[in-house]
Each structure stands twice: as C-alpha cells, then as structure tokens.
Amino acid sequence: MAATNGLRRAAVAGLVGIATGCVSVDPGPDFVVPQTVFDANYFYCEVEPNFIFANSCGSGDGSKGDKPNGCHFNASAVSGMALLDHPAVPCNGDIVSDPSQTGTGSPAESNLEAVSLEMNKDYTTAPLYTRPSDLSGCPPTAHPRCIFQHDDPTVNQILSTWASK
C-alpha cells in the first residue's frame, strides 16, 4: 500500500512538472563556476611539505625511476599541476608564521593554486589523490609511477583534513 501511494505521488509530481513546463535559465555571458577554496595555511604547513615535497612530486626521485627534470617542477614535462621549487614555508603549527613567503606571485602561492585545481571536497575523487595512487593503475595509465597506495594513512589524513577545511 505504501509503495502504491509513493508511485501515485511520483506520477502526480511528474504530471505537474509536465503541465507547468520546464524552464531553463540562461546563465549569461559571464557565467563562472565557483572554485572551491581550500585552507591556504594547511596547504603551506601540511600538504606541501608532508605530501607534495615529501613524495618528490616536483623534483622526482631518480631512485624510483623518475626521469631527470621529468616531474612537476618542469612545466613542459607535465600536462597539469606545474609546481615551483622554493624553501619550506615557516609555520607555527598549521599557521604560516611569515606571510611574506606566501604572498601573491610567490612560488608557494603558485603551488597552492596549481594543487587546489587538482583537489576536491571529496578528496577520494580528486586527481591529486587518484592519479598518483595505485587506484589509477599507474604506471603507465595515469601517472609515470605510483607515488602512494590509496590506503596510506598519512596521505588519507593529510588530504581528508585539507578537504574539510
């Protein structure tokens, strides 16, 4: 009986939708999909040093088969997420202690922008997580080498925390 009532309600809702017609909205010429903004301090103090740099994403790691100058510090070697090398950003916990290191146009700020484009609120679907992990079948399908295993607790903690900030 409950299933029948549910079907009736769905049918009535469908008929009402048909009767009123569908309306489309023209987003206009300046339509922009808002970009998700992730916590910059957490990126500079945790993600960049403990995930990006710790896994040699920029420089690569010759002992693991990376080609010299073939990783993310070489924009012509990668199709996305070009990174810039720079000294570690000084932090006090998860707060940048010298904001001059992360200002507009700085290498750290450029890295934040590049990496943020590869991140999602659901980090498990983010290219930052899926491409360099064993989930992509790398190598050779998505990434030249597997940087981490999808069940790595450190990676999962860092990225899940950043996704929630």
Side-chain angles (χ1 to χ4, degrees):
M1 184 76 144
T4 304
N5 286 339
L7 283 173
R8 281 190 194 130
R9 278 184 250 151
V12 170
L15 290 174
V16 169
I18 291 171
T20 59
C22 294
V23 177
S24 64
V25 176
D26 180 0
D30 297 326
F31 178 74
V32 174
V33 176
Q35 180 183 349
T36 303
V37 177
F38 297 99
D39 185 85
N41 278 306
Y42 191 80
F43 173 80
Y44 299 129
C45 299
E46 297 295 334
V47 177
E48 191 173 49
N50 299 317
F51 177 70
I52 301 296
F53 290 161
N55 288 304
S56 304
C57 295
S59 60
D61 185 340
S63 71
K64 294 181 180 175
D66 293 338
K67 297 176 188 171
N69 205 23
C71 293
H72 293 272
F73 285 161
N74 181 350
S76 64
V78 295
S79 60
M81 205 177 90
L83 300 174
L84 301 173
D85 194 10
H86 65 87
V89 172
C91 294
N92 184 7
D94 287 343
I95 304 296
V96 171
S97 59
D98 181 2
S100 70
Q101 301 294 310
T102 61
T104 302
S106 69
E109 192 259 350
S110 177
N111 289 353
L112 169 64
E113 288 180 10
V115 176
S116 292
L117 291 173
E118 304 298 323
M119 182 61 169
N120 297 331
K121 282 295 186 181
D122 176 1
Y123 79 96
T124 63
T125 64
L128 180 65
Y129 178 78
T130 59
R131 287 197 51 157
S133 78
D134 60 321
L135 293 173
S136 70
C138 63
T141 56
H143 202 264
R145 72 172 164 94
C146 285
I147 304 298
F148 60 90
Q149 300 297 304
H150 75 281
D151 58 356
D152 182 308
T154 302
V155 169
N156 284 293
Q157 183 274 320
I158 290 170
L159 295 182
S160 67
T161 301
W162 193 37
S164 69
K165 289 186 165 280

